Structures are given as C-alpha cells and as structure tokens.
C-alpha cells in the first residue's frame, strides 16, 4: 500500500443516538504528527499514551456533515493542538473567536430570544470569519449553537455546500428519556471535535475541558495578535460563573444573554446594582429569583466579576429596537476596549456590516483625517458591497481624489472573476480598463471614444476621476446602492445621471431576470428625474452656461455629450425639458449665429465636439451663416424635394416611353445625387467603424423607406432596358411604387409642427396595433376561407383559384363585397356567368346551404367583433399618445433638428458642390493631421463643472432633508435586522468535550474499540 494514499478504517458504532461511523484517516503527515504529539489517558488512569482515536465522524441517517475529531488528554500542549488545527485540519486562523458557554443541561429559551440568539450568532460569525467554540454536546447551550449552524445551512443556496440533516429527529426523545442521565451525545452540526480526557467519569467529568479550552484560545490569540475573543454566556450554573471569572481575569470581554436565566441573569442583575451596593439580602434575593445555588464561593465570584464591569456587556432583548441584536452586543464588547486601534475597530465594524455602531461609537467629526480610511473604503467596503458603510464614510468626508487607478482595477477584477469573465490576473491596468472601455462602447455605440486605449496612458491619467470610475463600476456590475451614494458626491452630476440612464437601460435590455430588469429600469427613471431637476436649477440660474453644459463634450464619458446620450437612452423627460427645447429653438432658428463665441457650434449635439470662433466680421459671412441654419436647410430641402416629386410624377404620367426622355434622365440624375447624400449620411453618422455607423443609421425608421424607394427605382430603371414586351410596364410599376414611398416619406416634415407632430407618432403606433390585429384576423380569415372554398368548389385543381378563394374573397367581404352570387348560387336564376365544361368560362360553384351560415358567422366576428377591437386599440393608443404627446413630439423634434443640423447647407441636387468642398477639406486635414488644444475651453469647462457641482450639491442636500423628515425614513432606522444572504459555510470550530463521558454513551453495551 502506498504511504501517500489515505488509509480509512471504519467502525460502526451501534446503540447510540446516531447510527454513527467513526473513520480513522491516516496519511503521511497526520499519521506522524498526531500519535507523536497528541496523547490520551491510558486504562485505569495510567500515564498518558499515544492517542489512536482520530479521524472523521459520519453521523449517518442522512446527516451529511462529516466532522473531524481527535482524542486528547486534558494536559495536552496547546501548541500541538494549534498545529493540528492549522496545519493538519487546514483551518485558517479566525478573525474572531466566539466562545459560547452556559448551561450544560437542556433548558428552554423564550421563542423570540431563541430566534435572536441563533440568528445573531451566525450573523456575527459570517461577517467576521469567526470560529464558534462550545462544549460540543447535543444538550444545553451547545445544542442551541448547533441549531444555529443548522438553520444557517438550511438557507444555503449554493448546492455545492453541505446540506443539513432533517430538522427533527425522532430518536432525540429517546435520548432525553434515557434512564442513565449522565450520558449525552455529540451535536451533529459541529464540524470539529477535540475530545478531552482526564480519566474521570460521570458527573465529575463535566467541565474538565474548560482549562484546555482556555489555553487553546489564548494560544490562538498569541499566534494571531489581531484575533479578538469574546465569551457569550447563556444560562449556566456555578461552573459557568467560574468560567466567566477566569475569562474576565484574562482581559477577555463577556456578553451576558439576559433573560436566559441562571448565571447570565444573576450577573446581569448584580451589574445593575453595582459591586459597592451588593448586600447579602439582595444577593439572596437574586439567587432565589433565578433558582441559583448559593454558596460563599459563588458570592465571592459574583463580586469579583462585577468589579470589572467594563468587560461585561449585557444583552437585553428589546422588541421595539431590532437593530441592536446580540451581534451588536458582541461587536460592542469586542470594540469597547480602550487600547484597541481605532482603524482596526472600524475595519471590524465594516466586516460586521454595522454602520449604525460605527456612527455611534467609532466615527466622529474629523475622524477621517486620522486613519487609513481610504484603504478600508476601497477594500472592505466596496469589494464586499457594504453600501451602508459607503454612505456613512462618504458622509464623514472620506476623500477619494487620490485613489490610484490600480484600486479601481481591483474592483473590476473581483467582479469579472466572480462572473467568470476575467482574464489573467497579471494583466496591467490599461489592459483591464481598455476592456471596460470596449464594454462601454458596446452599450453606448461605436461613437463612444474610451480614454483607456493602449498607448494613451497620458490622456487616461489626465482625465482620471475616482468618483466617476467607482460610479461606472457600480453601474456595470449592479451595485445599485453604492452607485447612488457615489453619485451624490460626484462632479458632472447631471451628465453622470444621464449616462446612468443609458447604461442601465442597455443592461436591462439584455437581462433575463425580470426582477433585476425592472429594478434597473426603475433606477434609470430615478436618475433621469435627478438629471431633469438639476438641469432645471442650472437653467434657472444661468441659461447660457446651462446650454454650454448640455453640448459640452465629456472626455470621461467617451467624448459624448448629455444631449446625444439622453436621446440614445430615450430620456423623453430630459429632452422635453424647457432648457433643451430653448437650445433646440436657438439651433433651429439661429444656427451658428450666437453672441457668445463659445456657443457658436450649434450643430455639435450629435458628435459632442465644440469649436470656438469669433463674431461675424462682414455682411457676406453673416449671409452665409444665416443661409446654413437648420431651418433654412429644412425648407430648402423640402422645396427641392417637392420639385423632384413633381418632375417624377410628370415622368410616370406623360413622359414615359421606350426611349428615356430628357425629363426622366434629369429625375434619374437627381435620384442618384440623393442616393449619394444617403451614403454621406451613413458615413457622417457618429464615430467608430462602418458597422457602428450602419447600426446608428438604421435607428431612424425613415431610412428604411429611403433605401426601399431607391432600390425599387433603380430596379425599374434597369428593367426598362431589357427590351421585352412587358419589361417597360414592369419598370413603370416599380417607378410608381417608388414614387408612392417617396411621397409618404415627406410626412416627416410634419414633425416640426407641435400639432401635426404628435399625430405622426399616433399613426406609427397604430400601425403596430394594426399588425397585431392582422395576426388575429388571419386566423378567422383562413378558417372561413378554407371551409368556404372546399364547399363551393370541391376538388379544385387550379392553385391560383384556390388562393383566391381562401384569401382574396374573405378579405374583401370585410369591406362589403359579399360575393352573394357564389355563396347563394342558384343555377336556375342565371345571375352568375359560369360553366362546368371546359370552354374558358369560370367554374360554377356547388350549391351549399352551409356556406351562407359560415359566411354570416365569419362576418359577425370579423366586422363586428374584430373591427371594434381594432377601434378600441386605436382609441387606447390615441389617448396614450395624446396624454404625453407634447413630450414625445419634443423628443422626435430633437432627432429632426439634429438631422438637418448635420446636413449639407445645399439641398440635392446642388449638394454635389458640398461634396466637392468636403473632399477638399478632408484632404487638407489628412495632410496636416494636427490636433489643436484649446486651453481656454478647458479652463471654462472646469468652471462649468464646479458651478454644476455647487448647484447639484444644493439639490442633494434638499433631497436628503426631505427624505429624513419622512415617516418612512424614521421607520427604516428601526428595521435593519435582516441577515445578509450567506455565501460561506459557518464552522463550529474547536469544540472541546470530555472523552470518557462521550464513550460511555456511545458504547454502553460494548467495550469502546478505541480504548487500549
């Protein structure tokens, strides 16, 4: 047998509380270490011998927890036990040891107190990485500890974790009814057992493990100076009083669970009186009230304990304040020692997620300046999503301005790793942030120009803003509460809120979880509301500067601007704000003519780039600038487009012949120039690669009509040259359809009118309703069409006639063409010209009584029910659009103005001259390739940021003041008692128990196999 393989020797232990299997696990290290270092009592209390009892315990009967155990003498060296725990049982050192002591016999706790004890104990252990130590038996306080661990495991969601046994075991009653009351069993919820053996049996064996337990805890503290120890007392007898006294002498804090009776209540009552006021009569009264054995030694121990009352914390259950449960009392006891380091206390409070304790006991004005709070904020708070602490530390003034970009990268790496999307952890920060930039480009489109690009480190450092980066990280990985708190302290608050709406809506569109999706959309609406209010305050304070903020390019947000992103995110409330509409009115009517040079780029809303220029110097320049206003561009395009449609209609009405006329050639050339203008629109849309431009172009639904009309037009023009007899007519047909589409295209001009604009939106939405209605109508139409065709013309072989009978006739019947001559066919009347012989006449229908009935039923559903349903759908759409018509029209109007703002000043076909000019300008730029920096603009931009931040901060203060005054907020302060969803198995570690007492129970009918 290989020495490297584990050796398992299993033994069934019968006649016990559990159908238990104890297995020896021997490997190379353990086999050498344990027998050499861990001793046990020999037979008849002889000297210590090498222990041969160690391995694992399988409690059986579905109890899936496998516990490790070792039998050790009561005088075993604590160093050896520590090495066993750390090196061989692979237990990482704890941050906190919660030593639970108290009643060793079964006792009842009040229901509410029992629930609070179990919940708070696990909450304290979970948040701090603690070890819970107890006596380890399935009685008394140890049983309650086991139940707490069991209830924790029950709510585990991770299927890889160990699942708990059943809540109720019927054999438990048999144990409690055991005639031999000196025996008990191990608690199957504990994970590690050290079975202490001092040679004693029976009642005298109780408590023999206390000294070794205390020495081991002291050793753990010595090896790990940062470990905190706290003793929790529940009920208890005289032995518990001794334990409390010895614990206090070691300067270890104690928490008394008041209301559990016994030692805990005796000490709690004595503390209220004080050591100087303890009289014999009062002590007698306390002992009698709590049914506690009175001895002289107990009285001395009691006085000795309360003389160090600063180390004792009393937990009293308060049904009116659920925020201060037992975990709060444990935290208070651990952190109350004066010599504790303040920063470490704060770190522990963060681990415990008790922001309320930090505010009331640790933090104070000016505290932030004293500690390394930024490290705690970026590490323990953000990495572990402690959003309440995020708010608290920000309120107390934590400064994130000097946070390095590597700290931000750590946040991304953690979330990427948890989502399974992380790459090599050794990647540099620019590589990680470059990937983040690509993800942002995926959300915003290819017009997003990330400042984190390979070889662009200088730009990244220049515009790096820790607040913005944390805000973006929180949005991308759904740390919604952290994002809200960070936003309140950011610069560019309005821009950040608008960007948040786009990010959240884009993420929601790909989210499969409906609850998360709805929450993202609700958060997006909230950010939009903030942006609208801040914009209102900015506009009321200074109109000119507010407009500058709207169109300013934002390097930290991909060089986009607020207007562009708000439109892409469909933030209708923001776009319809009076400030935006005021700006759009300026663009529409004034174009580039502005008094202030900074505002002269009126057409920069799409690209987000601002340019500066001087005032107009001469009349010629003023005329040119007036000529290229979007309003003039719009009306000139409409005028020339109407002229084009007039010429096109003349061609298809009277100038269409085998040989193309001069007028047709003019129309073809004109259409070709218009097509090139469409290509210019694709190329000039936003930024990025062609795929991104293509996607952006097709967001405008009118562009689909343009492409279809041009496609039909050129197919018709090519078809006319084929020379076949029917080709000319087919080409004319395609021309006519193209003309119809181009006529409908002119409807978009109504968008400039506040009355007609909403009507266009109604029509578009009603078309969607109509398509939905057609799906329902098709079911009835096909059902009736197939049945009527089969009954009137059985055994029809002409496919064309079958299709006409199934679709064509039932469809026209809806509009009143009933085809009664066929439905009620009577050969004697001769009202229908037909013949069943093959002489070129249509086939005569078959006489049927059923078809008229089917026709009546079909018309009842189609004409009465379905058409009225369609009318109701149209009415609902009309009312819905009418209620928000103004807002929707303003939103659509923005798109129209941006479209004509980015068009060449000359309409087709004169636009050909603009194409030549643009080509020359491009060649000129390509040869120079110079980037111009405008320091004055940067300085002005920084002034705008500060001004915006000042007003936004004022709004946030008002919002907080309003929120704090609401009843809901007051109630919320009283309800923070829910345990965070567990993500890790809690261990009941270092459970110490008397071995002889255990074996007497397990093997009462047979000799214990492990005793030599």
């Amino acid at each position: 047998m290989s020495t490297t393989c584990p050796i398992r020797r299993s033994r069934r232990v019968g006649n016990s509380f559990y159908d238990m299997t104890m297995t020896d696990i021997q490997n190379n290290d353990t086999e050498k270490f344990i027998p050499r270092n861990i001793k046990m009592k020999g037979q008849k209390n002889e000297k210590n011998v090498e222990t041969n009892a160690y391995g694992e315990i399988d409690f059986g009967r579905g109890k899936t927890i496998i516990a490790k155990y070792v039998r050790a003498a009561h005088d075993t060296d604590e160093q050896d036990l520590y090495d066993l725990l750390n090196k061989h049982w692979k237990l990482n050192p704890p941050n906190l040891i919660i030593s639970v002591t108290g009643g060793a016999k079964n006792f009842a706790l009040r229901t509410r107190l029992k629930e609070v004890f179990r919940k708070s104990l696990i909450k304290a252990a979970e948040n701090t990485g603690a070890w819970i130590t107890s006596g380890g038996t399935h009685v008394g306080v140890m049983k309650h500890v086991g139940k707490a661990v069991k209830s924790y495991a029950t709510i585990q969601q991770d299927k890889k974790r160990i699942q708990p046994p059943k809540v109720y075991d019927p054999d438990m009653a048999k144990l409690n009814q055991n005639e031999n009351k000196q025996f008990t069993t191990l608690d199957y919820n504990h994970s590690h057992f050290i079975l202490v053996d001092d040679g004693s049996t029976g009642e005298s064996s109780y408590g023999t493990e206390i000294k070794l337990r205390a020495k081991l805890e002291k050793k753990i503290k010595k090896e790990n100076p940062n470990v905190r120890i706290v003793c929790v007392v529940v009920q208890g007898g005289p032995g518990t009083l001794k334990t409390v006294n010895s614990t206090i002498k070691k300067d270890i804090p104690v928490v008394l669970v008041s209301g559990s009776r016994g030692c805990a209540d005796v000490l709690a009552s004595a503390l209220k009186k004080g050591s100087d006021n303890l009289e014999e009569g009062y002590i007698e009264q306390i002992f009698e009230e709590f049914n506690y054995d009175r001895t002289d030694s107990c009285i001395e121990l009691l006085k000795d304990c309360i003389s160090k009352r600063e180390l004792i914390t009393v937990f009293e259950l308060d049904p009116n304040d659920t925020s201060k449960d037992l975990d709060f009392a444990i935290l208070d006891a651990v952190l109350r020692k004066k010599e504790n380091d303040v920063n470490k206390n704060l770190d522990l409070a963060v681990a415990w997620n008790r922001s309320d304790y930090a505010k009331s006991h640790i933090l104070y004005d000016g505290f932030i300046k004293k500690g390394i709070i930024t490290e705690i904020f970026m590490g323990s708070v953000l990495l572990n999503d402690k959003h309440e602490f995020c708010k608290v530390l920000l309120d107390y003034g934590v400064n994130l301005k000097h946070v390095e970009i590597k700290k931000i990268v750590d946040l991304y790496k953690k979330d990427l790793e948890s989502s399974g999307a992380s790459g090599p952890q050794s990647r540099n920060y620019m590589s990680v942030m470059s990937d983040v930039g690509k993800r942002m480009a995926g959300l915003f489109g290819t017009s997003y120009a990330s400042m984190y690009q390979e070889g662009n480190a200088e730009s990244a450092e220049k515009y790096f803003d820790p607040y913005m980066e944390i805000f973006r990280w929180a949005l991308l990985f759904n740390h919604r509460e952290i994002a809200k708190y960070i936003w309140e302290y950011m610069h560019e608050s309005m821009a950040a809120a608008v960007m948040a709406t786009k990010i959240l809506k884009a993420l929601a569109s790909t989210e499969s979880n409906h609850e998360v999706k709805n929450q993202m959309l609700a958060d997006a609406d909230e950010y939009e509301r903030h942006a609208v209010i801040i914009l209102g305050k900015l506009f009321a304070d200074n109109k000119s500067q507010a407009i500058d903020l709207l169109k300013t390019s934002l390097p930290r947000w991909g060089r986009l601007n607020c207007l562009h992103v708000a439109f892409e995110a469909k933030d209708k409330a923001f776009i319809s704000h009076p400030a935006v509409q005021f700006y759009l009115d300026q663009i529409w009517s004034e174009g580039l003519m502005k008094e202030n040079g900074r505002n002269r780029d009126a057409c920069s809303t799409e690209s987000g780039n601002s340019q500066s220029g001087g005032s107009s110097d001469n009349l010629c320049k003023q005329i040119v600038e007036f000529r290229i206003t979007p309003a003039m561009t719009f009306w000139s395009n409409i005028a020339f487009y109407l002229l084009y449609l007039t010429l096109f209609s003349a061609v298809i009405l009277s100038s269409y012949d085998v040989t193309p006329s001069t007028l047709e050639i003019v129309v073809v050339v004109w259409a070709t120039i218009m097509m090139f203008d469409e290509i210019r629109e694709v190329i000039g849309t936003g930024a990025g690669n062609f795929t991104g431009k293509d996607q952006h172009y097709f967001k405008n639904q009118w562009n689909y009509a343009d492409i279809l009309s041009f496609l039909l037009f050129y197919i018709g023009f090519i078809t006319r040259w084929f020379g076949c007899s029917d080709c000319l007519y087919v080409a004319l047909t395609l021309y006519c359809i193209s003309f119809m589409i181009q006529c409908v295209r002119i409807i978009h001009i109504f968008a400039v009118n506040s009355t007609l604009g909403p009507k266009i939106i109604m029509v578009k939405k009603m078309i969607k309703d109509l398509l939905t209605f057609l799906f329902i109508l098709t079911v009835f139409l096909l059902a009736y069409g197939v049945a009527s065709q089969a009954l009137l013309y059985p055994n029809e072989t002409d496919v064309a006639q079958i299709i006409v009978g199934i679709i064509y006739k039932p469809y026209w019947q809806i509009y009143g063409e009933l085809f009664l001559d066929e439905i009620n066919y009577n050969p004697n009347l001769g009202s229908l010209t037909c013949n069943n012989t093959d002489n070129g006449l249509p086939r005569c229908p078959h006489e049927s009584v059923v078809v008229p009935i089917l026709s009546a039923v079909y018309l009842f559903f189609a004409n009465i029910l379905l058409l009225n349903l369609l009318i109701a759908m149209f009415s609902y759409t009309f009312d819905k659009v009418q209620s928000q018509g103004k807002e929707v029209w303003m939103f659509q109007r923005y798109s129209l103005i941006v479209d004509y703002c980015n068009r060449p000043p000359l309409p087709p076909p004169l636009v050909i001259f603009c194409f030549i000019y643009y080509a020359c300008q491009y060649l000129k730029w390509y040869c120079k390739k110079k980037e111009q920096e405008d320091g004055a603009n940067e300085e002005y931009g920084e002034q705008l940021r500060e001004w915006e931040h000042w007003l936004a901060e004022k709004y946030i203060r008002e919002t907080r003041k309003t929120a704090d005054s609401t009843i809901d907020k007051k109630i919320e302060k009283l309800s923070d008692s829910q345990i965070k969803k567990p993500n890790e198995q809690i261990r009941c570690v270092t459970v110490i128990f008397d071995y002889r007492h255990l074996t007497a129970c397990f093997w009462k009918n047979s000799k214990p196999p492990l005793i030599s």
Side-chain angles (χ1 to χ4, degrees):
M1 182 181 294
S2 174
T3 57
T4 59
C5 297
I7 303 173
R8 295 176 177 265
R9 297 202 305 269
S10 300
R11 302 176 300 282
R12 299 302 288 182
V13 183
N15 297 322
S16 65
F17 176 57
Y18 308 108
D19 187 13
M20 186 182 75
T21 302
M22 302 186 75
T23 305
D24 296 340
I25 297 182
Q26 302 171 8
N27 57 39
N28 194 26
D29 293 335
T30 306
E31 180 68 19
K32 291 180 180 179
F33 175 80
I34 294 182
R36 185 174 65 242
N37 297 278
I38 308 298
K39 307 298 182 183
M40 67 178 184
K41 282 292 181 181
Q43 290 183 341
K44 299 181 182 179
N45 294 330
E46 296 176 356
K47 66 178 182 178
N48 294 345
V49 297
E50 292 183 357
T51 185
N52 65 352
Y54 58 92
E56 293 180 345
I57 303 175
D58 182 357
F59 289 100
R61 294 192 184 180
K63 316 288 191 299
T64 55
I65 293 180
I66 306 297
K68 295 183 182 296
Y69 80 98
V70 67
R71 175 187 177 187
H74 71 289
D75 53 356
T76 300
D77 188 356
E78 61 270 20
Q79 179 65 53
D80 293 332
L81 290 178
Y82 179 79
D83 291 340
L84 173 65
L85 295 172
N86 188 25
K87 298 179 181 179
H88 298 275
W89 283 357
K90 306 299 181 183
L91 294 176
N92 294 325
N95 297 320
L96 175 68
I97 297 177
I98 304 175
S99 179
V100 183
T101 188
K105 298 181 180 179
N106 283 327
F107 60 88
L109 286 176
R110 288 179 294 161
T111 302
R112 174 61 181 154
L113 183 60
K114 179 171 61 178
E115 292 176 355
V116 170
F117 171 75
R118 294 178 180 178
K119 180 185 69 174
S120 301
L121 185 66
I122 294 303
K123 185 177 180 181
E126 176 200 9
N127 291 330
T128 58
W131 288 2
I132 304 174
T133 67
S134 74
T137 57
H138 197 68
V139 291
V141 69
M142 294 79 75
K143 180 178 177 181
H144 288 288
V145 173
K147 292 281 188 179
V149 176
K150 179 178 178 179
S151 64
Y152 170 86
T154 302
I155 59 175
Q156 290 267 12
Q157 299 298 321
D158 188 351
K159 301 301 181 183
K160 296 180 181 179
R161 297 294 184 186
I162 295 174
Q163 296 299 318
K166 295 179 180 178
V167 176
Y168 173 73
D169 192 323
D171 285 345
M172 193 175 296
K174 297 179 182 179
L175 171 70
N176 293 333
Q177 295 170 4
N178 195 326
E179 293 180 1
N180 198 338
K181 302 270 180 150
Q182 63 176 322
F183 303 134
T184 186
T185 60
L186 293 176
D187 184 86
Y188 57 81
N189 295 297
H190 288 66
S191 59
H192 298 77
F193 293 88
I194 297 177
L195 309 176
V196 180
D197 179 14
D198 71 341
S200 61
T201 60
E203 292 288 344
S204 60
S205 65
Y206 279 107
T208 54
E209 82 282 1
I210 293 177
K211 290 184 179 180
L212 182 58
R213 176 175 167 180
K215 289 196 298 181
L216 180 57
E217 290 172 353
K218 183 178 180 180
K219 179 62 181 177
I220 296 172
K221 173 70 174 176
K222 182 179 179 181
E223 294 290 335
N224 305 277
N226 292 328
V227 172
R228 313 291 180 91
I229 302 176
V230 62
C231 178
V232 178
V233 180
V234 183
Q235 212 245 12
T240 304
L241 192 59
K242 292 180 182 179
T243 302
V244 172
N245 187 49
S246 62
T247 301
I248 291 175
K249 288 182 178 178
K250 295 169 187 171
D251 207 26
I252 296 174
V254 174
V255 177
L256 305 174
V257 180
S258 180
S260 61
R261 306 189 66 80
C263 176
D265 281 2
V266 168
L267 276 170
S269 298
L271 279 171
K272 292 180 181 179
K273 192 71 174 177
S275 56
D276 297 335
N277 300 321
L278 278 181
E279 301 174 354
E280 288 293 327
Y282 182 74
I283 294 176
E284 294 281 354
Q285 183 180 350
I286 293 176
F287 282 14
E288 182 179 350
E289 180 180 353
F290 297 108
N291 195 23
Y292 199 77
D293 297 333
R294 181 197 183 285
T295 61
D296 292 338
S297 61
C298 286
I299 295 175
E300 293 302 321
L301 287 173
L302 182 64
K303 291 181 177 180
D304 199 12
C305 287
I306 63 176
S307 64
K308 295 188 176 181
R309 58 186 308 134
E310 68 277 2
L311 291 174
I312 301 178
T313 302
V314 179
F315 166 68
E316 293 184 288
L317 182 63
D318 184 359
N320 296 321
D321 187 2
T322 57
S323 63
K324 296 183 178 180
D325 283 343
L326 179 60
D327 60 304
F328 188 94
I330 294 174
L331 179 66
D332 185 38
V334 171
L335 302 183
R336 210 165 60 185
K337 297 174 66 175
K338 293 182 180 180
E339 65 273 16
N340 286 346
D341 181 79
V342 179
N343 289 329
K344 291 182 180 178
N345 283 352
L346 180 60
D347 204 10
L348 188 57
V350 171
W352 227 307
N353 200 24
R354 295 312 299 250
S355 58
D356 50 351
Y357 184 88
K359 286 191 292 186
S360 60
H361 292 78
I362 301 176
L363 299 174
Y364 53 87
D365 292 338
F367 171 81
I368 297 298
K369 300 177 181 179
K370 292 188 175 182
I372 317 175
I373 308 304
T374 304
E375 293 291 330
I376 296 176
F377 185 87
M378 296 300 300
S380 303
V381 174
L382 295 186
L383 286 175
N384 296 300
D385 197 20
K386 308 284 185 163
H387 56 84
E388 285 294 336
F389 262 100
C390 175
K391 180 179 185 301
V392 169
L393 293 181
L394 286 171
D395 288 343
Y396 273 86
V398 63
N399 189 356
L400 304 179
K401 291 182 179 179
H402 303 293
V403 171
E404 297 180 354
I405 193 171
K406 294 180 181 179
K407 293 292 183 182
I408 306 297
V409 171
D410 290 340
L411 298 177
Y412 282 110
K413 283 184 176 180
K414 177 182 178 295
D415 278 311
L416 288 172
E417 182 180 357
S418 63
S419 63
S422 63
Q425 293 296 313
S426 59
R427 292 191 303 167
N428 60 36
Y429 77 90
M430 281 300 295
S431 175
V432 175
M433 297 307 291
S434 177
D435 289 346
V436 174
K438 293 177 182 178
R439 183 171 182 181
M440 292 290 289
L443 299 176
F444 283 85
T446 53
S447 57
Y448 183 92
S450 174
M451 64 181 184
Y452 296 108
Q453 298 177 0
E454 299 294 341
N456 196 25
E458 183 178 349
S459 176
E461 293 177 1
K462 178 180 179 181
Y463 294 112
F464 176 69
D465 181 1
Y467 288 94
M468 186 278 290
E469 295 295 347
I470 295 172
F471 179 68
R472 183 169 62 179
W473 160 79
L475 290 174
L476 289 175
F477 294 97
N478 200 26
H479 301 285
R480 47 188 302 269
E481 297 296 339
I482 291 178
K484 289 180 181 179
Y485 297 141
I486 290 291
W487 176 81
E488 294 180 357
Y489 290 87
M490 290 179 63
H491 283 69
E492 299 179 348
S493 302
M494 181 180 69
V498 173
M499 301 297 169
T501 65
K502 174 60 179 174
I503 293 173
L504 291 172
K505 289 179 180 179
L507 292 175
S509 65
T510 61
E511 179 60 49
S512 57
N513 187 317
H514 291 289
E515 184 178 353
V516 176
K517 179 177 182 177
N518 293 334
Q519 187 63 66
M520 285 181 175
L521 294 176
D523 289 344
D525 292 340
E526 183 179 353
Y527 281 115
E528 183 180 3
R529 182 178 62 83
H530 289 317
V532 168
I533 295 175
I534 292 175
L535 177 58
K537 292 183 176 296
L538 294 171
F539 190 64
D541 189 71
N542 190 312
K543 292 183 179 180
S544 176
Q545 290 184 1
I547 290 174
D548 287 346
L549 275 174
L550 285 175
K551 65 179 184 177
T552 297
S553 173
L554 304 168
R556 297 173 180 84
W557 293 103
R559 297 195 175 276
L560 302 174
N561 60 36
C562 290
L563 282 179
H564 172 71
V565 176
F567 179 75
E568 292 294 320
K570 294 181 171 57
D571 294 339
K572 297 182 179 63
F574 188 86
I575 295 295
S576 61
H577 191 276
V580 177
Q581 295 303 310
F582 177 79
Y583 176 49
L584 294 179
D585 288 339
Q586 282 188 332
I587 295 175
W588 182 250
S589 59
E590 301 177 18
L592 299 183
M593 294 184 66
K594 301 285 185 294
E595 295 180 1
N596 190 337
R598 298 189 184 95
N599 292 342
R600 299 185 76 249
D601 186 10
C603 296
S604 64
T605 57
E606 184 67 23
S607 64
N609 297 322
S610 295
Q611 299 175 355
S612 295
S615 59
S616 300
D617 298 326
N618 52 64
L619 180 61
C620 181
K621 189 172 183 179
Q622 291 181 9
I623 293 174
V624 171
E625 289 183 340
F626 177 73
R627 171 66 188 79
I628 62 175
T629 61
M632 294 302 299
T633 302
F634 173 80
W635 291 115
S636 62
N637 273 269
I638 295 302
F640 275 81
Y641 191 69
L642 290 175
L643 177 60
Y644 163 78
L645 291 178
T646 303
L647 297 178
F648 195 1
S649 63
V651 169
I652 61 179
L653 287 173
S654 60
S655 298
Y656 188 76
D657 202 352
V658 177
T659 303
S661 63
T662 304
L663 188 59
E664 184 178 353
I665 294 174
V666 170
V667 170
V668 171
V669 173
W670 199 324
T672 303
I673 295 175
M674 291 170 60
M675 184 186 68
F676 278 110
D677 191 42
E678 287 295 317
I679 296 174
R680 186 272 318 159
E681 186 176 347
V682 175
I683 297 174
T685 299
N689 55 29
F690 181 78
T691 303
K693 296 173 182 290
D694 185 44
Q695 294 174 351
H696 194 279
Y697 173 79
F698 283 109
K699 286 182 179 180
N700 188 342
Q701 296 174 351
W702 287 114
N703 290 330
Y704 288 97
D706 293 335
I707 292 175
L708 181 59
S709 66
F710 287 128
L711 186 64
L712 293 174
F713 181 86
Y714 285 106
I715 291 176
F717 181 72
I718 294 172
T719 304
R720 78 184 323 278
W721 297 98
F722 286 172
C724 61
S725 58
D726 294 330
C727 290
L728 196 62
Y729 187 77
V730 171
L732 179 61
T733 304
L734 294 174
Y735 273 3
C736 291
I737 298 175
S738 176
F739 175 79
M740 290 177 62
I741 296 174
Q742 292 184 39
C743 283
V744 173
R745 178 67 171 88
I746 206 170
I747 291 178
H748 81 285
I749 68 173
F750 298 147
V752 300
N753 186 275
S754 59
T755 303
L756 295 177
K759 301 301 185 291
I760 300 175
I761 300 168
M762 292 178 188
V763 171
K764 289 171 62 177
K765 292 186 177 296
M766 286 180 180
I767 290 175
K768 295 180 181 179
D769 293 339
L770 183 61
L771 293 176
T772 304
F773 167 79
L774 287 177
F775 283 111
I776 303 173
L777 178 63
T778 301
V779 175
F780 289 88
L781 186 144
L782 292 177
Y784 168 72
V786 171
S788 62
Q789 173 66 21
L791 292 173
L792 291 175
Y793 300 96
N795 300 319
E796 179 64 66
T797 57
D798 190 343
V799 177
Q801 289 298 323
I802 291 175
I803 295 175
V804 169
I806 292 176
I807 299 175
Y808 179 81
K809 293 177 181 178
Y811 176 77
W812 288 108
Q813 280 183 296
I814 298 174
Y815 303 109
E817 182 61 48
L818 301 180
F819 302 97
L820 292 178
D821 291 340
E822 293 185 49
I823 295 173
N824 297 318
Y825 176 69
N826 188 341
N828 299 322
L829 297 177
S831 58
L832 184 65
T833 304
C834 63
N835 197 325
N836 289 326
T837 61
D838 188 13
N839 58 359
L841 292 175
R843 178 185 172 184
C844 292
H846 185 75
E847 294 182 64
S848 176
V849 180
V850 179
V851 174
I853 299 174
L854 295 179
S855 179
V857 174
Y858 165 68
L859 291 175
F860 174 80
F861 279 98
N863 280 18
I864 299 176
L865 181 63
L866 294 183
L867 287 180
N868 280 281
L869 172 63
L870 180 62
I871 294 170
M873 293 169 65
F874 285 168
S875 298
Y876 173 76
T877 301
F878 179 86
D879 294 337
K880 184 178 180 181
V881 175
Q882 187 74 8
S883 62
Q884 51 183 348
K886 204 74 173 178
E887 182 179 283
V888 175
W889 168 74
M890 290 177 179
F891 180 78
Q892 297 294 340
R893 177 173 176 258
Y894 170 86
S895 177
L896 179 77
I897 293 177
V898 169
D899 181 22
Y900 280 93
C901 199
N902 292 323
R903 282 177 181 256
L906 299 178
L910 303 180
V911 73
I912 190 69
F913 298 108
C914 294
F915 293 161
I916 298 173
Y917 173 76
Y918 293 153
C920 295
Q921 289 294 317
Y922 177 78
L923 292 175
K924 182 179 178 182
W925 169 85
Y926 186 78
C927 293
K928 290 185 177 181
K929 286 187 177 180
K930 291 184 179 180
E931 295 183 0
Q932 298 181 354
E933 296 288 339
D934 193 341
N937 277 350
E938 287 190 6
E939 182 180 352
Y940 177 66
E942 191 63 30
Q943 293 174 1
L944 288 179
R945 292 179 76 233
E946 293 296 333
W947 171 65
E948 177 197 10
H949 181 62
W950 177 72
L951 287 176
E953 198 174 43
K954 182 179 178 182
Y955 158 68
I956 292 169
R957 285 198 303 269
E958 293 172 355
T959 304
R960 285 185 175 182
K961 186 176 180 180
T962 303
D964 289 339
S965 63
T966 60
I967 297 177
D968 292 341
K969 187 67 177 179
K970 295 176 181 177
I971 294 175
E972 183 183 343
K973 293 178 179 178
L974 301 176
S975 56
D976 186 26
S977 60
Q978 291 187 347
I979 301 180
K980 181 183 175 183
K981 181 179 178 181
N983 53 12
E984 206 176 325
Q985 182 185 3
I986 298 298
R987 291 174 174 173
C988 271
V989 182
T990 322
V991 181
I992 303 175
F993 185 77
D994 176 68
Y995 181 74
R996 303 274 177 147
H997 189 66
L998 169 74
T999 55
C1001 172
F1002 281 161
W1003 301 287
K1004 62 180 180 179
N1005 294 329
S1006 61
K1007 182 178 178 180
L1010 299 182
I1011 298 180
S1012 57

